[in-house]
Amino acid sequence: MPPLRPALIAAALIVGTATPVQAATAPEITVENGRTQPVFSYADAIREHVYVESTVDSDADGRLDRVRVDIIRPKESGPGLRVPVIIDESPYYDNSGRGNEGERKVYDDAGNVVKFPLFYDNYFVPRGYGVLNVDMLGTTKSDGCPDVGGKADVLGGKAVIDWLNGRAKAYRADGSPAVADWTTGKSAMIGKSYDGTLANAVAATGVRGLETIVPISAISSWYKYQRSNGVIYNYDYASWLANYIDTDPEPKCQAVRDRMDAEDGDDTGDYNAFWAERDYINGLLGDVSKVRASVFVAHTVNDLNVKPDNFSEWWEALAKRGVPRKIWLGQTAHVDPFDFEGRRGLWVDTLHRWFDHWLHGVRNDIMREPRADIEVAPAQWITERDWPAPRGHKLTLRPAADGSLRLLPGKKATASFTDVRMTESDMVSDVGTAKPGRIAYTTGELPLNLRLSGTPVADLRVKLDKPTANLTALLVDFGDDTRVDWRRGGGITTLTEEDCWGDSTAGDDACYRKVVTNTVNRPVEIVARGWIDVQNRLSLSRSAPLPVGTYGSVKWETLPQDYIFKKGHRIGLVIAGTDSNYSNETGTGANVTVDLSKSSIAFPVVLGTPLESVPQDRARFIGPREVTLPEPEREFSFF
């Protein structure tokens, strides 16, 4: 072979250097089947923290409070690839923890979080989201003092949204400015209990950039969380909770807690400026008319911690304003839908499509699906176009002197009891036996299933021998049945087996223990509860004693419900004094006389159940809201 010529060698070198090595393509937001895809590395994600400057000085140290924000976001995010964010703001990151397994933040030597509680980071960061775990002001690594739903709580979270949209300042640990040039500014807030409450509160300010919220078992009015129509659940609760969530030395925020005790109105139970500041439906800091965000509500009808009137009145107000919304409604107690038996995968996928729609602008079917998912029996769900059931009709039942509960008013009669503290089990036991602290009435056996969907209303005509009394109304189901045992473990048992939702690292896995629904066979179930202090019958903000010996109307809503009274069961109405299960008040000792012929309990019902057809010869509807039966059966066969 002849030797290569120098010119040929030079040409070969030139050609070789002119052929570049193929560069790796950086991942970008990818959508398939209406869902963003996991194309970003969770292990390589940026983990950082900043301190956002708020507009409040809650600890009165002369400096505006700064909010600690822990961030995890795709490595590729920045000015060239801006991503939306999902925020869980919480006061619980260093005390009770988050989720069913009580997860807390874990930090590395640089002070960045290497374990973010819950699955949101594991699942959504690979799909093109930033996830922010925010320490509520006065808690964990944030400045300030918690004020339990008030100005500091609300404006601290709002400041984070403002920073994401260039309207607030933030700083790194070394004091250098931090700019959120990696985000679109579109954000969601999500969380259970206090976390979801903060989402409601910030949304009610109307802050721009908060596109959607997912409040889970959340408060919409702190008055409703600690009061029912003047009846006090717990005394000085706000200061107690503030002290629990604040890990600073006690003296730092003592003045704030003392002020809450002085302003909470425990001496009367009235609604005042303290509670108006903490009201997100019609409050001083914000209200439902300012809400710009869409709202995905998740709650349960047996949550006796954050009682379900906190979701139902918020939901109704949102509906009146035409706010885009969706709801999941379970039968357990204070439980996250991630822990509804058999629903975990559906919950994650529904959240995924919800966030994709509102934050990434993905065109999917989430807003064309039925608005409501409702649990109608243990781990048995239906979907409907709204809640309460749109086809519901009002059923009014009236107590009679013979102990019956019927459709038509009975003859004029009265019944009396004394306002004393009683447990609910005492109130509903031995309903055919007279007790000095309650009166009780029942229907006959039901000829078909009746589904209550909505909020019952108790309407009593009473007179007292003292200026006021606490009244309790219980709507009760008498009849053996297998029900969700929400009293035990909140209605769930945690198993050892796990499933995983997203990507994991050695320090932060995406795996969580499965759960099953607790059930129990009981002969009686309290379906709906309602309480009122008679002196608040006319106004929540002004007490007005009922003139002694004079009849007056006392009308109020119980807690909402969605429940099926089954064929062969009996519906009961129990009227009593102070409910010792849920109120720390003492009974007034007043003698309460009830005019039975002018008293009733009314509630929206659907005949049959969503899973059965209704025998047409058993019932008919008259008018848009009233339910009745064929004339021959109206009084005797049905009740």
Side-chain angles (χ1 to χ4, degrees), residues 35 123-124 214 296 326-328 343-358 364 366 369-370 373:
R35 296 163 177 83
Y123 188 86
F124 285 106
V214 184
F296 185 177
K326 187 173 180 64
I327 189 169
W328 273 32
R343 302 276 289 184
R344 184 169 289 180
L346 182 59
W347 171 249
V348 174
D349 184 65
T350 304
L351 271 185
H352 184 184
R353 292 182 297 116
W354 183 266
F355 287 149
D356 279 356
H357 177 81
W358 290 104
N364 55 33
I366 192 70
E369 295 173 353
D373 281 45

Side-chain angles (χ1 to χ4, degrees), residues 408-569:
L408 298 177
K411 296 179 180 178
K412 185 172 179 60
T414 63
S416 299
F417 64 92
T418 303
D419 173 18
V420 295
R421 282 176 61 83
M422 289 184 71
T423 65
E424 289 188 341
S425 60
D426 283 342
M427 291 180 186
V428 302
S429 64
D430 304 320
V431 292
T433 303
K435 289 187 176 182
R438 69 103 204 266
I439 52 178
Y441 305 88
T442 63
T443 68
E445 294 183 356
L446 300 178
L448 75 168
N449 292 347
L450 286 177
R451 176 184 165 209
L452 184 168
S453 181
T455 303
V457 177
D459 188 355
L460 307 181
R461 182 171 171 79
V462 304
K463 69 175 179 179
L464 312 176
D465 65 354
K466 292 186 176 183
T468 194
N470 295 328
L471 299 182
T472 297
L474 304 178
L475 188 65
V476 188
D477 178 20
F478 292 102
D480 285 316
D481 198 11
T482 299
R483 303 175 169 93
V484 174
D485 189 6
W486 53 269
R487 295 179 179 87
R488 179 167 58 94
I492 60 172
T493 293
T494 305
L495 308 177
T496 57
E497 182 183 0
E498 292 185 329
D499 52 18
C500 304
W501 302 93
D503 296 344
S504 299
T505 62
D508 191 339
D509 70 58
C511 304
Y512 294 87
R513 296 167 67 182
K514 296 181 178 180
V515 301
V516 293
T517 302
N518 296 335
T519 60
V520 64
N521 189 274
R522 279 197 292 256
V524 58
E525 181 78 359
I526 298 172
V527 176
R529 302 162 167 81
W531 309 277
I532 192 170
D533 184 338
V534 171
Q535 65 184 349
N536 287 107
R537 70 197 183 281
L538 303 177
S539 170
L540 295 182
S541 56
R542 294 190 308 276
S543 298
L546 181 64
V548 172
T550 302
Y551 277 104
S553 174
V554 185
K555 185 176 182 179
W556 76 103
E557 292 183 342
T558 72
L559 300 180
Q561 253 289 1
D562 204 290
Y563 183 89
I564 296 174
F565 294 96
K566 292 189 175 178
K567 179 180 178 179
H569 288 203

Side-chain angles (χ1 to χ4, degrees), residues 372 374 382 384-393 451-454 561-562 604-606 610:
I374 304 155
I382 63 166
E384 291 195 315
R385 61 184 175 88
D386 211 339
W387 190 89
R391 61 189 185 282
H393 296 255
R451 176 184 165 209
L452 184 168
S453 181
Q561 253 289 1
D562 204 290
V605 297
V606 179

Side-chain angles (χ1 to χ4, degrees), residues 5 41 45 70 98 150 152 202 300 307 324 335 366 380 437 487 522 527 535 551 568 570 575 577 603:
R5 297 177 180 177
S41 169
D70 290 299
R98 304 314 299 130
V202 175
T300 61
K307 297 176 180 63
V335 171
I366 192 70
Q380 190 172 31
R487 295 179 179 87
R522 279 197 292 256
V527 176
Q535 65 184 349
Y551 277 104
R570 294 177 298 143
I575 304 168
F603 49 97

Side-chain angles (χ1 to χ4, degrees), residues 71-74 77 83-87 120-121 124-125 128-132 182-183 359:
I71 303 166
I72 181 170
R73 57 187 175 89
S77 60
V83 297
V85 300
I86 298 168
I87 302 169
Y120 305 136
D121 57 310
F124 285 106
V125 170
Y129 291 84
V131 172
L132 278 55
W182 48 267
T183 178
L359 299 181

Side-chain angles (χ1 to χ4, degrees), residues 189-523:
M189 294 185 72
I190 187 173
K192 177 191 169 191
S193 198
Y194 210 137
D195 305 18
T197 302
L198 295 170
N200 283 343
V202 175
T205 69
V207 61
R208 292 182 181 272
L210 182 59
E211 303 296 325
T212 190
I213 62 172
V214 184
I216 301 167
S217 303
I219 296 166
S220 61
S221 163
W222 285 84
Y223 181 88
K224 289 183 174 60
Y225 182 57
Q226 283 301 304
R227 303 281 193 273
S228 176
N229 303 300
V231 174
I232 298 172
Y233 298 146
N234 301 286
Y235 289 96
D236 292 333
Y237 179 85
S239 63
W240 174 87
L241 181 57
N243 197 36
Y244 172 76
I245 60 180
D246 187 355
T247 52
D248 292 315
E250 287 206 10
K252 176 186 175 183
C253 295
Q254 187 61 51
V256 176
R257 294 192 294 272
D258 289 345
R259 186 171 67 249
M260 287 192 285
D261 285 344
E263 295 175 353
D264 62 11
D266 278 356
D267 55 328
T268 65
D270 291 350
Y271 182 95
N272 60 17
F274 177 87
W275 300 107
E277 183 179 328
R278 294 158 174 82
D279 184 343
Y280 313 132
I281 299 177
N282 296 294
L284 296 178
L285 294 177
D287 60 68
V288 72
S289 70
K290 298 177 182 176
V291 173
R292 301 175 185 272
S294 61
V295 183
F296 185 177
V297 171
H299 216 107
T300 61
V301 291
N302 292 312
D303 189 343
L304 273 302
N305 177 359
V306 180
K307 297 176 180 63
D309 55 344
N310 272 279
F311 93 79
S312 63
E313 296 193 21
W314 177 242
W315 178 256
E316 182 180 1
L318 293 170
K320 289 179 179 178
R321 297 288 304 175
V323 174
R325 65 202 188 283
K326 187 173 180 64
I327 189 169
W328 273 32
L329 192 57
Q331 287 197 356
T332 51
H334 199 56
V335 171
D336 192 299
F338 187 73
D339 295 312
F340 290 165
E341 181 184 351
R343 302 276 289 184
R344 184 169 289 180
L346 182 59
W347 171 249
V348 174
D349 184 65
T350 304
L351 271 185
H352 184 184
R353 292 182 297 116
W354 183 266
F355 287 149
D356 279 356
H357 177 81
W358 290 104
L359 299 181
H360 273 298
V362 175
R363 294 183 178 180
N364 55 33
D365 293 333
I366 192 70
M367 297 306 294
R368 290 192 289 271
E369 295 173 353
R371 182 174 287 145
D373 281 45
I374 304 155
E375 188 176 16
V376 294
Q380 190 172 31
W381 291 74
I382 63 166
T383 60
E384 291 195 315
R385 61 184 175 88
D386 211 339
W387 190 89
R391 61 189 185 282
H393 296 255
K394 186 173 75 172
L395 174 64
T396 301
L397 299 177
R398 300 168 174 86
D402 62 358
S404 65
L405 195 59
R406 55 180 66 190
L407 289 169
L408 298 177
K411 296 179 180 178
K412 185 172 179 60
T414 63
S416 299
F417 64 92
T418 303
D419 173 18
V420 295
R421 282 176 61 83
M422 289 184 71
T423 65
E424 289 188 341
S425 60
D426 283 342
M427 291 180 186
V428 302
S429 64
D430 304 320
V431 292
T433 303
K435 289 187 176 182
R438 69 103 204 266
I439 52 178
Y441 305 88
T442 63
T443 68
E445 294 183 356
L446 300 178
L448 75 168
N449 292 347
L450 286 177
R451 176 184 165 209
L452 184 168
S453 181
T455 303
V457 177
D459 188 355
L460 307 181
R461 182 171 171 79
V462 304
K463 69 175 179 179
L464 312 176
D465 65 354
K466 292 186 176 183
T468 194
N470 295 328
L471 299 182
T472 297
L474 304 178
L475 188 65
V476 188
D477 178 20
F478 292 102
D480 285 316
D481 198 11
T482 299
R483 303 175 169 93
V484 174
D485 189 6
W486 53 269
R487 295 179 179 87
R488 179 167 58 94
I492 60 172
T493 293
T494 305
L495 308 177
T496 57
E497 182 183 0
E498 292 185 329
D499 52 18
C500 304
W501 302 93
D503 296 344
S504 299
T505 62
D508 191 339
D509 70 58
C511 304
Y512 294 87
R513 296 167 67 182
K514 296 181 178 180
V515 301
V516 293
T517 302
N518 296 335
T519 60
V520 64
N521 189 274
R522 279 197 292 256

